[in-house]
Structures are given as structure tokens and as C-alpha cells.
Amino acid sequence: MAKVLIFLKARIKLFPILPRQSLVFFGTQTVPIVPIVAQYVHRGSIKYEFSTELLQTPIQLIKITNVQTQIVNVLNHLLAHTVERVHEDAPLKFLELIQLLRVAHFEDLESIWSQYRTLPAYRQWLLDTIPAIGTTAALKFIEVKYLADDLTVSEAAQALVASVHMVTASIEAIKLVETLAGNNKIVENPVLRKIVLLGFGTMVSKYCVELDVCPAELIKPIQDLLAVAVAKDETEDIILLLKAIGNAGHPSSLKSIIKILPIHGTQAASLPMRVHADAILALRNIAKKEPRMIQELALQLYMDKALHPELRMLSCIVLFETRPPMGLVTTLANIVKTEKNMQVASFTYSHMKSMTRSTAAIHASVASACKVAVKILGPRLDRLNLHYSKAIHMDFYNNPLMLGAAASAFCINDAATILPRSIVAKTSAYLAGAAADVLEVGVRTEGLLEVFMKNPAPINDVDRITKMKRVIKALSHWKALPNSTPLASVYVKFFGQEVAFANIDKVLIDQAIALTSGPSVGVIVWNAIKALLSGASFHFAKPLLATEVRRIMPTAAGLPLELSLFTTAVAAAAVRVNAMVATPPPENFHFIYLLKTDITLETEIRPSVAVNTFAVMGVNTAILQATLLWRAKLNSFVPAKIVARVDINEGNFKIAVPPVFMPEPIAAVHVETVAVARNIEDLAAARITSIIPAKVLQPTSREIPKYDNFSSAASSLSKSSEAFEDVAPTISIEEFQFVKRYCATALAIGLKGCIKVITENAVSSRDVALYKLAAKRSISLSFQPIEGEEIESWEMEVQIGPKTAQKLIKQINLSEEIVEGRPALMKLKKLLVPRQRKVSSSSSSSSSNSSSSFSSRVSTKARKFSSSRAVRSSSSASSLASLFGVSSTSRHSKPVIYRHKFQKNHKIQALPSQVASVSKSRSSASSFEAIYKQNKFLGNEVAPTFAIIFRAIRADKEMMGYELAVYLDKLTSRLQIILAALAADDTFKICADGVLFSEHKVTAKIAWGAECKQYNIIITAETGLLGQSPAARLKVTWNALPSELIRHAAKIYDYIPAAMLAGLIKGKDSSSTSQLSITVVATSDRTIDLIWKTPTRTVYKLALHLPIALPLNEIKGLTPFDGLADKVHYLFAQAGSAKCSVITDTLTTFNNRRYKNEMPSSCYQILAQDCTDELKFMVLLKKDHNERNHVNVKIADIDIDLYSNITDVIVKVNGMEIPISNLPHHHLNAKIQIRPKGKGISVYAPSHGLQEVYYNKNSWTVRVVDWMKGKTCGLCGKADGEVRQEYRTPNGRLTKNAVSYAHSWVLPALSCSDTTGEIKTLWWYYFYSSILLQLQYKYKLKQLSLTYGEDLITPLSFRVPHEAGICAAGEAGKHPWSGIQVLLRGACAALPARLFSCEDYRRHYWLPLPAYW
């Protein structure tokens, strides 16, 4: 017996969908339970098992009877409905074709292929569809056909890329790809080999994703190939196989990857760095399965400070992808606190800081840990500029929907160059707690910038290289930096799998040049020209299965629940081309013949596209389907006809676009949600029901409640079943429907464009995601001709040369106010002049009102940002008076105002043709007005240079449109551009008039309106000085401006964040009410001041830092090169260059680190040199016996000596003196110049890496170009931005002592007075060591040592880099002790007294010297 609860009444709120129930208890009853008498049959386990047969797509249910016949029928249907335009249901038919091909066996595919292989249209459809079916039969089919030479290489590559990544992973498929990878025909083709090996890794990854333990034998073939490639030192194969292992992500591959990393053994350390980089990146997919294991390895790599900074930053990326715990993140923060490499520190800090802003649930723990780490580090690293490596992460996550997206970017730099070394961009998606990397693109620039900026073929002089190598060999254990061979590399990943990569190197460029310049290319071009002359037509169709995501889950009812997403597209285009020439060409004509005749090209193109997206939720079996289907359709069809005419001899180019039939609409998007129920036995009875009901019932009662919105009323429908007894009149769907049509007409082209938007929601005002998804939405775009304004043709014509004036349709005359020969227009103008003035006055008044209202908004916006320290600002009655009249906070109690007057460079350096006119005028405006009044219209004196005509020819033969004419007067450096309307009764014109007064000033006047007399502005750009700083100023003045311009300016200002107005310093100004100006003052090469002057205010922004250095000296005097390309090249190189200089004895390195450089007399020191194997340049410095600097520059095949005597600077090239009067000196074969500059001499060689070497009697400066940063060495440093690692000796050792650092770069000779330049040994170590030896013998000391900087010197430490480096041994014998005695006898006499005297020795080291010393 059991008690059964009885509920006689239950109220369940069905609408909206909320988890609330109201139950009423009435009582209990005792009911006996009667056992069932039956025989039970054993049915096995209740465990749910998925069916093994191929499932139907949930979008459609297909009853398959004869698969081959059905495939042929669908193919015929697709081809028939994609000829002229794509049918809107073509993507659905394409899905049906995929489903039928999935059912087909390999023999069926063979039969269909043999039937249609010779028909190009059918062949292309089959090659596009078969890879998308994702079965082993498809993969086998592609393999068999390629090996049988039935497919071309391009066809096989396209098919393999899609098939390998879309096929369902299985042991059979993996073995098939493994066999394909070992085939000789695949191995011999690099492109196909990359596709197959990358796909092999992807196949293993897909197969192992559902397995707890994945067999290691699956990935072993790749591991074996990698071991062979490493043994043979085949770099390209190693990189390819590492990427394949990275795609697989198998934990057993970790051992193979570790063997390639530079942490075990010398063999791995000798591999190129890009191999190490790819090995670290291959750990990312393994980290998703074994995060703890990868965390230990990544942390070990990150902490290894001997590794290249780029490898350490890549390790940081891998480490954060493992989602490290709090302890590991704080450990990283403590490492960064003492990190000496600024690139690594900047990258790690920016990565942590960007992760603190993450809102995704999957990164919640990492975000919390990074917040703690950022507090540990503090804001110090946040002040580093953009030249340092950065990591950026941004994401968005909606918790109720469990939906989000993220974007990450990694900018990796190993030196402070403009172009980063590596850039990685990645997008991710979050759904229901899962994350996927959708797309990732990585680019390594490596040697790209160097190729762009330097000579393509530098001079390779063997003697020069030998001499420079002999010089640098004298430095102890000098190490050359490796030279980067590849120019760039790029890779692409989809969903964490690398699908393609390419290395851009010299081999690839040579292959591309050979391919484009080969004889076959000429034949192809020749055949194409002949085909065009005889008329040709093309048809292109391309289907695509863009997305197929299916997730099937078991249910308690025994039916599988499927969630799936499909996106398919079909695009097609029909093209007809016909070329005609004025005179028929001969039978065997040359290509030059076409350039000398009149060519007409008629083209008709009819492109169309259809895209369908389906999202399905419901039951999907082979017998029945009951699903909820969300579908979106996009259809577009835009036909066009273009007629182009080219006549190069006459300088004429014309394009005509005749009208064509425009479909209605040309583009449309329709979104709808429906419920679908169908079964295989009666497909015709399928039921498709729209979720949006046709009618909605509204209950009635005596007391009608007042609802704020319809959702409240609708929620009451389900309160009680009795509520439906009295039914009120129905409410139609119109109450939920939003219909809007936006149209715009363009009379100039005779077209009317409309956008129609229709939205139907289940409940319009309820903000519930389910209701939004269930809505009907459609948007359409259409173009139709305007009634009564039909256009016969749209034309654009360009005319260049002497016949330009003849092509002008409407003659322009700006000198007179009326047009001759039209008395009616003259009378009409007299009547309209007062009205025009009235309108102008009204416009000015409206401008003032608009400005006043805009000013109030500006002040309000500023007060909202800083209410406590707001500064009052008054609005102006002028047109743009309040555009910059904003109030903002300031730390200064008084506004900072530049009290210097702007000194114009133009007054000093005017062009010769305008010196007279400028001298007569007092201001720039008056000089421009003088030229303008002298001749308002340049067409009266010069012919137009070129003209562009846009016109629309109407059906009544009237012409509409515009013509643009350009006039150039070279004598006065004046340019005039006039745009005029072609309509006879339209006087609208735009006139732009500009005058180049000098290289430092240009003025332009822009006027528009009726005859260019309604509105005008004058713009002046000029350079000059503000105090001692170079400056540039842009000044704008006006007489009248349209009110629309003020209104749009106000709207633009509303979008400016209030935070951008902070930090501005304000001051009052009493300048003109119709003038604006902005002045940029270069206070240094990396900081500028901005000054805005408005009619009522002056706004300052001080000390604005720039990412690159400004070439201030070169801007003042332009550049040392004559050609325009060379000037631009020089300025760009100068802006990104690194500077090293000296003032007295204080040297400032490339990284702006200062130290005192004390050097021995007559001994060369290396200031800067190219530390790669190319040895492009070397700059040496020494002091002569008169304490004067002597600079030697070794570059290309010349030696340049710069030194001074009492009065002048002397230049010698290869030992021959060049008089100053003969400068500039140009190298015959290289872009090297020697020019006087100020009080000294400059050497320019930017294409060789040396931007400039400047020398005068008191100072010198060395600049290297941007692409040499990080590749230099010497006293000036590496120019890599690493200020914490500045003092690096020639052997790469880091020292903290500036004295040791400076002495390590000295090149001593036989004696310090030797002038031969042949360096033999670092002799001062002999000196100190020999002194210790004498002290040890004299005082019978057992242990004696001397600390010199960071070096420990003993009596037997000689620091000799090479046996040949013992300078004195060659004089006194081969035994080193003899050399020491020679040095002892004359050591003190050879030393400079101010630094290396014996008294200095006694004073610094407090050691008793021998008595005879």
C-alpha cells in the first residue's frame, strides 16, 4: 500500500518560460500497488550506445534509393541553377549532394568521376564537393587519382587541404595519410608534402581528442622522420616536422621536442633560432592535455637568461596558455623584478596586465593571479614605449549566455627597431564553458626591414673584409652575431591546427621570378590577348562548406539530441569580354602595337552569391526528425556592364557604364526560426511551423489590468485554464512587427536606393535571448531608376596632355560674375542677389547659434569628467569659436604660454621666383591675395594639365555630373583645381588654389558655392622656429562656413572621450574670431609640444612623447641626397636611427646610457661596427699625441679618416686628402657621401647600415639605421634598448664596470704610439701581470692577485686571444717570458701619464712598487 498525493489543481506559468510552479494540496488516498504478472525478456545493458551508421544531416531527411542516380540528378540541378545567377536554395542542394556522396562507396565515386571527368563544369563541382564529405573513401579517391596523374598539382593541393582537415579521424584514415606522406610523388613536391604532413598531425589530434590514452604509435612515424632530419641537419624538414608534431599535440612527442631545444647538448644549440622558436610553439597543443608537464619546461626556458629573448618570450606565451596557478604567476613576477632584459620584462608585464582585464570564466583564476603580480611589479614597466615587446589580450564574455570572444596579439622585438621581429594575432571563441582558437596568424619579419633599407648588392671587397676581420680578431674571444637568412615567414592556424606556412627567402623569390619571366608566361599572355580580341566568355562557380559542427548527446528517452551548426555558400559569376581595336591588327603583331592604337574593351559580369546558415536543436535519426531550426539566408545578385576605351597616344581613358536590369532587391538577408517534424516514410507530409504565431490571444476580465508592455499581458495568459473561457478579440501580429524603409535619391546618377528592415519578435519588449533568437528578421537593399530621370549611361573620362582643354564640356570663367550670352540668367541673378545675401546672413546666424549650443555641450562634458577642478569657459558667437574652447583640469596654477614669436623660415629661404612678391607684402595672406587677384583663373594663361569628367547622360539627352580640371603654372609654383557642375543652370563650383612660396611655406584657398563665392577658407602650412626649437604651423582662416559643418563638428566632438581632454593647459587669447591654428614644436628629437589656438583660447599639450626620433637637423636643411626617392629613404632611416655621441670625455651610447670614456693615447677603440658576418662598416676612434680625436671609418671598399688640425677638419679617403672645397664627395659604386655639415664633416651611408658619422674639432656623432639595431657592438653598444645590459665586452660577457667595458674595446698595436693600425695584443694586461710577477719575486710572496674592474689578474694571466697576439714575443723571441721582460723595460714610458702612470697605479691599488721604479 502506498499513499498517493492528489493535486486537483496546478497552476504552471507557461509564458514566459520561468521556473515557477504553484501547487495546491487537497489530500491523500491509500491505493494498493498491484504487481504486474509478465515474463521479462533479457534486453542487455541500459547503457546508451550511438549508432554506427552514417547520420543524416538534421536539416533535411533524404530517402536514398539509387545513390548514383540521385547524385547525378543533384549535380544537374546545381549546374542548371548557377549559370546566370545562383538560386537561393543552391546551398541547401549542395548539402544534399554532400549527404549523398557520404553514402556512396569508393566504387560509386570512381564511376561518377569516370563519367564526368572530361566535362569541366562537372569536374570542378566534384573536386569542390568530394573533399567536404569527410569520409575515408574521399581521401582514398584523391590519393588514387593524383598518383594516377588524373589530377593536377593545383587540383590535388586544393582537394588535400580540405579533405585532410575535414575527414573523420580513424585508424584507417591515419594509415592512409601515413602511406601518402611516404609516397615519392608527394615527397618530391614541397607544397603537397607540407599539406600531407600537417594534415597527418591534425588527423592524430582529432582521433585522440576523445581518448583518455592515445597510442604513441600513431605519432611515431613523424618522430622518426624528425630524428633523421636532425641527424642530417636539414633545417626546413625539422621545421615542417615540428609543426606536424605541434598539430598532433601528443604528449609522447615532448621528448623529441626537448632534444631540439637549446637546453640539452651542443647539437641543439647549433640549430637556427627559428627552429628553436617553432619547437617552443609546438608545445602549445601538448599543454592543453598535459599543462603541469609543460609548465615546468616553459618555466625552465623562461628562466634561462642565456637564451635569446625571443625564445624566452615565446616560453611566456606557452606558460600562460597552460593557465598557471597563483604561485607560478607570482614566481614570474619576482623573476621580472630582477630581469635585466627589458624586452622580456616588458612582454611579461604587459601580458600579465592585459590578463587582469579578462572577464572570461575560463581565465578567472589567471586574472586574479595576474592582479597580484601587477601589484608586486608596480607601474614602472608600464612606462616603456612601443619599441619594446608587448602582449595584448582583450575578451568579452556574457555569463547568462555562456558566450564570449577574445582577441590576442603578441608583438615580439629583440631590439628597439620600428618593425617587430615577430607578430602573432589570435582570435578565440567561448561557448558553454569550452574555448577554441578560431584563427591565428603569425608573421616573422627577420631580415625584411634590412632588405628594404639597404643596398640590394653590397660591395663585397675581399681585402676590406680581411682587414676588418684582422682588426676585430685582436679582441678577446670576439663573437660575431649570426646573419638572418630568411626575409620573412608566415603561418596560418584554424582551430589550433596549422594549415599552411611559407618562408619568404631568396630561393622562393628566384622561383617566382623564373616563373613569371619564363617563356610559358609569354605564351599564356599572348593567347589571352588573342582570345580577348576574338571575344571570350567565362563561367565560374564555387561551392563551400564553411562550417559543420555537430554535437550528439544521449537522452533518457532513448533518442539522440543533436546540436549542430552548418554554413554553406555557393558563388557564381558569368563574364563576357570582347576587345576591339580601331584598326585591325596584322596576323603576327607585337604587343607594342596595342599601345599605339585605340582599344575598346566591353565587359559584362553577372556575379551572384547565396549563403545559408542553419542552427539545429532536436532529435535526428535515420527514420524521423523533430528539430528546432534557425536559418539565415543571404542572396545577392549585382549585374554590371562596363565599356572601357583607352588611347595612350592621345592620353585619353574613358569608362562607360550603361544601365542594366537591376533585380529587386540586389541583396537580401532573411532570418527565421521554425519547428520541423518529418519521417522517412512520408516526406511529403513534413510539417514546418513558424515559431512566431500568426495571432496572439488576449484574455479579458471585468478588471482589465494596465500593463506597461505586452510581455506583462502575455504572461497572464497562462495563469489559469479558466482564463480562456471568455476570449477577447484577437490581436494581430502587427503589434510586434517593426517595418522601416530608408531611401535616398541621387539625382546626379538617376538612382534611388532603399534599405528595408522588417523585424517580428515573439514578445517585442521582453529582453530574453530566446525570444530574440526566435524572431523573424529581414533586411534588403535595392536600387531603382528615378521616374522621369532615366539615365542612358554613366561615364567617367580622363584626359591628359595638350588636348585636355578640348575635352572640357563646361567652360570655366572665374574672372567675370555673369555668363555672357545669357540675358535671362543676368536678370535672374539681379533678382536673386539680395536673397542670397539674406540667406548668407541667416546661415551665419544659424552657425552662431549652433556654435553656442555646441559650446554648452563641451563645457558640460568637461565638467562631468572633472567636477571638482573644472575651469569655466565662455562660449563664442563665432562659427568655430568653441570647437576647442574646452575646460579641463591642469596641474599648473598658471597657464604656460610660449612667449616667443613664430619665426618663419620662408622669409629667409623663399623661392627665387617669388622673392619680389614676398618682400612687397607684409603677411602671407596679403602675398597670396596679391597673386590671386593678379590672375583669378589660371586657364587664361596656361592650358589644363589634365581633366576628369563624371557625367550621367539622361534619356532626354541632358547632361548631369561634374568636371574636374587641374591647372599648373610652374613659373609661379601655383596649382589650381576647379570642380564644376555640368548642368547648365547649376553654378555650384569648388575652387582650390595653392601656391608654393618656398620649401618652407605653402598656402591654399578653398572656396565653394555659387561661382565659388559663397564660402571660403585659407589654409597656410609653414615651418619656422619658436624660440630655439624647430616648429611647424597650420593656420586656417575663413569668412563664412555653412551651418551643417558646425553641426557635424559638434556631433564628432560628442564621440571624443572626456579622458582625452585631461592634461590640457588653457590660456585666453584675443586673436581673430575666424582663425584657427595648430603649432607643433619639436622640443627634442623625441618630444613635441602642441599649441592649439582658437578664437577664444590657446590650448597647450606639453612634452608629448614620440615613438620614433625626429630628424630635426635634416628637416631644417632637407637631406644630403638629391633624388626624391633617396631623400625619402634618408628621412625614414634618420627617424628610426640610433645615435651615439660624445661631449668632452662623456660618451652617450645608442641606448642613451652615459659613462666617462678614458682611453690611452694613439690606441684605437671600436666605437661601432657591424657585428654580423657581413662586416658592412666599422668606426674607430683614437686620440693623437695632441689629445685630438681621430675617427677612422671603414665601409665598402674605402677607408675614411677624419681628424683636425689647429683650424680645419681634414678628410682622407684611402690615404688621399680631399680638400673641403671639393666636397661633397660621392662614391662611384655605392650610395656613400661625404659632405660638410655645420662646422664639421659628415659621412652618409644609410644603405650600408651606417646612417651618419659626424665629426668636428670638439665632438663626434655616430648614427646607425633602424635595421642595424641589435646588430652593432663597440663602445656605443648594441642599440637594442637594453639599458640594463649595456656593458658587454667583445666576448659577450656582461660587466658592470664602465672602465673595464671601455678597455675591452681598445685595439692596441706594437706600442700605443704605433700608427699602423695592425693590432696585436691587449698589452696592459701584460703590464699589470708583469708588475705582479716582479712583486712576487722581490718580496717572496706566494699568492698575489690584482682586481681590475671585474677581472682577476694574477702573475700568469695574460688574456691573450691568440698565440699570434703576443706583440713583444715576436721582438724578443718566441718565449712569452722574454716578451714580458721587454714590456717591463719600457712599460711606464709608454703609458699616458694621466691614466696609466705608475703614480696612478700606486694611488689606485695601494701596492708597494719596486724601489727602482
Side-chain angles (χ1 to χ4, degrees), residues 120-151:
Y122 286 89
R123 178 188 179 98
Q124 189 59 47
W125 270 95
L126 288 174
L127 288 177
D128 290 334
T129 310
I130 288 177
I133 66 179
T135 62
T136 308
L139 189 59
K140 183 178 179 181
F141 172 82
I142 297 171
E143 176 190 8
V144 171
K145 293 306 169 185
Y146 175 70
L147 297 180
D149 293 330
D150 212 359
L151 297 179

Side-chain angles (χ1 to χ4, degrees), residues 827-1048:
K827 294 179 180 179
L828 183 61
K829 183 171 184 178
K830 291 179 180 180
L831 295 174
L832 293 179
V833 164
R835 179 175 178 84
Q836 289 178 354
R837 292 177 180 173
K838 187 175 181 179
V839 170
S840 176
S841 175
S842 174
S843 174
S844 175
S845 176
S846 63
S847 300
S848 175
N849 295 335
S850 175
S851 173
S852 179
S853 63
F854 174 54
S855 177
S856 64
R857 289 201 304 274
V858 168
S859 300
T860 303
K861 188 173 185 177
R863 285 196 298 270
K864 287 180 180 179
F865 179 73
S866 178
S867 59
S868 61
R869 297 181 295 174
V871 182
R872 296 181 181 178
S873 63
S874 60
S875 62
S876 171
S878 178
S879 299
L880 290 178
S882 59
L883 183 57
F884 294 99
V886 296
S887 60
S888 178
T889 60
S890 174
R891 293 176 295 176
H892 302 272
S893 58
K894 295 182 180 180
V896 179
I897 299 176
Y898 273 86
R899 303 192 181 277
H900 300 285
K901 187 177 180 181
F902 187 87
Q903 302 176 17
K904 305 175 183 179
N905 290 335
H906 164 67
K907 291 184 177 180
I908 304 174
Q909 302 179 11
L911 290 178
S913 61
Q914 299 185 343
V915 170
S917 63
V918 173
S919 62
K920 293 179 181 178
S921 61
R922 293 184 178 181
S923 65
S924 62
S926 62
S927 63
F928 176 80
E929 291 296 335
I931 297 175
Y932 183 74
K933 290 179 180 179
Q934 210 173 33
N935 185 10
K936 291 185 177 181
F937 181 44
L938 278 181
N940 296 331
E941 295 183 357
V942 297
T945 305
F946 70 91
I948 304 176
I949 301 172
F950 305 91
R951 58 175 175 261
I953 303 176
R954 296 171 44 173
D956 55 4
K957 303 305 178 184
E958 288 192 13
M959 195 175 300
M960 301 174 62
Y962 298 91
E963 68 176 13
L964 184 144
V966 179
Y967 303 86
L968 177 63
D969 187 1
K970 295 183 179 180
L971 295 177
T972 58
S973 300
R974 182 182 174 190
L975 178 70
Q976 191 173 57
I977 303 173
I978 299 177
L979 178 69
L982 294 178
D985 55 348
D986 193 347
T987 60
F988 177 82
K989 291 183 178 66
I990 297 177
C991 305
D993 207 326
V995 178
L996 179 65
F997 290 95
S998 69
E999 294 176 336
H1000 302 279
K1001 178 183 177 183
V1002 61
T1003 300
K1005 178 180 180 181
I1006 302 175
W1008 67 97
E1011 299 294 342
C1012 293
K1013 293 180 174 62
Q1014 194 171 359
Y1015 308 106
N1016 69 81
I1017 60 175
I1018 296 178
I1019 304 173
T1020 301
E1022 54 190 345
T1023 62
L1025 294 175
L1026 204 58
Q1028 298 297 323
S1029 302
R1033 182 173 67 181
L1034 180 68
K1035 185 168 61 177
V1036 181
T1037 59
W1038 64 88
N1039 293 331
L1041 291 176
S1043 58
E1044 291 82 0
L1045 182 62
I1046 310 299
R1047 186 166 59 253
H1048 289 309

Side-chain angles (χ1 to χ4, degrees), residues 360-413:
I362 199 171
H363 294 309
S365 61
V366 180
S368 301
C370 288
K371 289 178 182 178
V372 176
V374 169
K375 290 181 180 179
I376 294 174
L377 292 173
R380 180 174 52 88
L381 293 173
D382 204 17
R383 294 190 290 265
L384 296 176
N385 58 32
L386 296 178
H387 284 164
Y388 291 93
S389 303
K390 301 288 182 181
I392 302 172
H393 176 84
M394 298 178 294
D395 61 22
F396 164 78
Y397 192 78
N398 187 294
N399 280 307
L401 295 178
M402 298 183 72
L403 185 71
S408 302
F410 306 107
C411 180
I412 297 176
N413 207 345

